[in-house]
Amino acid sequence: MKCSKCENKAIIKIPYANIALCKDHFIEWFERRFERIVDKYKMFEGSKRIAVAVSGGKDSTTLLHLMKKLGDNRGLEIIGINIDLGIDMGKAYSSKSTEYAVKNFEILGVKYRVVKIKERYGFTIDETKHKIRRPICSTCGLVKRYTLTEIAEEENADTIVTGHNLNDMAQFIMSGYFSGDVQDLARLDVITPPEKGYKVKKVKPLFLMYEKEILTYAIVKGIPFLYDSCPHTFRVGGVTQDTIRRKLEEMEEAIPGYMLMLVENFINKIQPALKEKYIKEEELGKCKICGRPTTKGREICSFCAVRLKMTGEKVNVR
Ligand SMILES: [Zn+2]
Ligand SMILES: [Zn+2]
């Protein structure tokens, strides 16, 4: 297989674009595509200081490298954040995650923060497993989002970016259709405006990048990343989620560009309609403990409820 742009051997086929590319042309194509998506969706309009959430996996480390380059070209400040969630399960997952995140922060010379949730909030994700009724991945997501927002604010960032890729988005959308989670689907923004009274927006710059392309980029660029996936994902969410993901990959093979169409159409056309129908901002309450927005009718936010249950401690009101 020859590169579509030169005489060199292609290392990757990109069926939906009908091209095959060599290492150098792939890197160039991938970086340009990233910038085109950033521009098309005006992701960083008004941004000056961007916090990149880095777990140490291929998506977030690739995102960090892309953001550093973008930042250098456009005068945006980049700060790395790694959250040590306290996931061990005999595999030292969180400490490895931190190790890889820090490796990349140092390679790129970006400022960074590592936050241990055990030190900051008094519990670990592993410890929530039998104490909190919701699925552990959902608790973890909640804790991650909350911590990230707090740290970004402490660091005076105006934007948080996360490494959700196209395959993650497609899987989330299909699961949402399957289970009818309209609220979750309505909240699946690519650019999430700041919570009421706050200033940090959240952006998913990799939402149209295929997992395979990200992985290839990370490998050919020699980016050090953690191959292990979280030890909890195999136990929770399990077979259904896995199957949806696999079947989407099969659809992609049969219809090149399938996931791209699915996600782009969802974000451009379906999500805004769902948001208008199902999300009523003015109905949000205020958490009695931390002061952040809560679901209507709730006295304390979901994070404070988890923390209270785990430690009995109340966070100071802001
Ligand atoms: Zn080439
Ligand atoms: Zn709260």
Side-chain angles (χ1 to χ4, degrees):
M1 193 168 55
K2 214 183 69 177
C3 174
S4 307
K5 297 188 178 177
C6 74
E7 292 303 311
N8 291 333
K9 206 177 121 219
I11 56 148
I12 186 170
K13 228 171 115 178
I14 299 157
Y16 64 92
N18 210 10
I19 49 171
L21 297 170
C22 68
K23 180 184 160 186
D24 290 346
H25 280 119
F26 170 68
I27 292 172
E28 184 188 280
W29 176 86
F30 184 84
E31 290 175 354
R32 199 173 289 163
R33 183 168 152 71
F34 173 75
E35 283 205 45
R36 269 209 312 268
I37 294 166
V38 162
D39 289 335
K40 179 176 174 189
Y41 287 86
K42 302 186 170 66
M43 288 178 171
F44 303 120
E45 213 174 54
S47 299
K48 289 194 177 71
R49 193 165 156 85
I50 302 177
V52 186
V54 181
S55 70
K58 64 179 188 323
D59 301 309
S60 62
T61 51
T62 293
L63 177 62
L64 180 72
H65 284 251
L66 294 169
M67 288 305 300
K68 176 67 166 65
K69 194 162 188 179
L70 192 79
D72 287 348
N73 291 337
R74 302 187 180 185
L76 301 166
E77 251 185 286
I78 304 295
I79 168 162
I81 298 178
N82 172 265
I83 301 170
D84 180 336
L85 295 153
I87 297 172
D88 188 85
M89 303 290 286
K91 292 187 166 118
Y93 178 72
S94 284
S95 42
K96 280 196 222 162
S97 145
T98 298
E99 188 189 309
Y100 276 93
V102 169
K103 230 181 248 185
N104 282 284
F105 296 148
E106 287 181 348
I107 288 173
L108 293 169
V110 298
K111 276 176 271 175
Y112 67 93
R113 284 265 309 263
V114 173
V115 182
K116 273 188 193 300
I117 67 151
K118 179 77 179 178
E119 281 171 12
R120 192 174 170 95
Y121 302 118
F123 64 93
T124 68
I125 293 300
D126 283 353
E127 289 163 8
T128 65
K129 197 175 177 191
H130 300 292
K131 275 189 149 173
I132 303 294
R133 275 241 305 268
R134 57 162 85 210
I136 192 162
C137 296
S138 144
T139 309
C140 183
L142 170 74
V143 170
K144 254 190 297 204
R145 283 192 300 275
Y146 191 93
T147 311
L148 205 52
T149 309
E150 277 207 337
I151 304 299
E153 279 167 5
E154 285 180 14
E155 292 299 326
N156 260 315
D158 46 45
T159 309
I160 296 174
V161 295
T162 52
H164 301 89
N165 64 40
L166 180 62
N167 301 52
D168 298 333
M169 294 288 288
Q171 181 187 340
F172 193 91
I173 292 165
M174 290 311 277
S175 314
Y177 288 162
F178 170 73
S179 51
D181 292 334
V182 281
Q183 287 285 335
D184 285 352
L185 288 173
R187 287 177 207 282
L188 188 63
D189 276 328
V190 173
I191 301 169
T192 314
E195 292 171 351
K196 213 174 156 190
Y198 296 87
K199 64 160 198 180
V200 184
K201 68 171 175 179
K202 294 181 184 166
V203 181
K204 300 183 181 81
L206 298 181
F207 87 109
L208 292 179
M209 311 296 261
Y210 282 93
E211 185 164 54
K212 180 181 133 189
E213 292 166 10
I214 295 170
L215 178 66
T216 306
Y217 182 81
I219 292 171
V220 298
K221 287 284 281 186
I223 295 173
F225 67 89
L226 180 62
Y227 276 84
D228 311 8
S229 41
C230 174
H232 290 296
T233 48
F234 297 104
R235 293 171 184 84
V236 192
V239 186
T240 310
Q241 288 301 321
D242 267 9
T243 309
I244 290 173
R245 198 168 180 102
R246 251 195 358 260
K247 291 293 165 189
L248 277 165
E249 284 162 12
E250 284 174 26
M251 284 296 276
E252 181 66 35
E253 249 176 70
I255 310 168
Y258 179 82
M259 281 194 236
L260 210 50
M261 295 289 283
L262 178 78
V263 172
E264 208 165 12
N265 283 326
F266 177 83
I267 289 299
N268 293 345
K269 297 171 186 170
I270 300 172
Q271 192 268 344
L274 290 177
K275 191 174 176 180
E276 202 175 303
K277 183 164 166 65
Y278 292 101
I279 309 287
K280 303 262 183 288
E281 293 292 348
E282 65 276 17
E283 286 178 359
L284 287 176
K286 204 174 168 193
C287 174
K288 286 235 159 71
I289 297 176
C290 73
R292 289 196 168 275
T294 56
T295 330
K296 182 188 165 195
R298 294 256 182 86
E299 294 233 306
I300 61 173
C301 73
S302 315
F303 174 83
C304 287
V306 168
R307 186 178 185 196
L308 203 56
K309 187 134 194 227
M310 294 304 299
T311 65
E313 278 174 61
K314 292 188 179 187
V315 196
N316 293 331
V317 178
R318 283 161 176 270

